[in-house]
Amino acid sequence: MTQLPEDVKNKVTQLFNDATKRERVKELLLTLWTVPLNVGPDQLARSILILSEGKLEEIEAIFASNFYGDPRDVIVNAEIKNGKPGHYFNQSFSDN
């Protein structure tokens, strides 16, 4: 994939006012489509954004945690934070 899903781009814009940080977030999220994952990259991107609370440092920490081995933990933690267990972020932000 060469670009983020529209709902993910919109959420990035909503969470990050600073253009430099916004571009860095998009750059990081786009890498999810270039590595093998046992979850959907769109699910993981949505989960990361929920966990970030609009803080680039949080996103960088998630990526630095080497979650690629099993990113399901990221999704479950985002579900807990979002208060929607079993949601798994399969649906776009606009469908919620």
Side-chain angles (χ1 to χ4, degrees), residues 8-26 29 48-60:
V8 172
K9 285 194 292 190
N10 291 339
K11 191 67 160 181
V12 169
T13 300
Q14 176 188 351
L15 290 173
F16 297 90
N17 295 326
D18 180 88
T20 304
K21 288 181 180 180
R22 192 168 45 242
E23 288 309 309
R24 176 68 177 143
V25 170
K26 288 179 184 178
L29 293 177
I48 290 169
L49 289 173
I50 292 297
L51 291 173
S52 78
E53 295 182 332
K55 298 175 187 157
L56 174 59
E57 302 79 26
E58 289 295 323
I59 291 178
E60 290 173 333

Side-chain angles (χ1 to χ4, degrees), residues 58-78:
E58 289 295 323
I59 291 178
E60 290 173 333
I62 292 168
F63 275 86
S65 73
N66 196 23
F67 63 82
Y68 294 117
D70 192 357
R72 292 176 293 183
D73 291 339
V74 174
I75 293 172
V76 169
N77 287 331

Side-chain angles (χ1 to χ4, degrees), residues 28-45 48 63 66-72 74-75:
L28 286 168
L29 293 177
L30 275 171
T31 67
L32 298 176
W33 278 265
T34 66
V35 294
L37 298 167
N38 60 358
V39 299
D42 50 342
Q43 289 176 272
L44 189 53
I48 290 169
F63 275 86
N66 196 23
F67 63 82
Y68 294 117
D70 192 357
R72 292 176 293 183
V74 174
I75 293 172

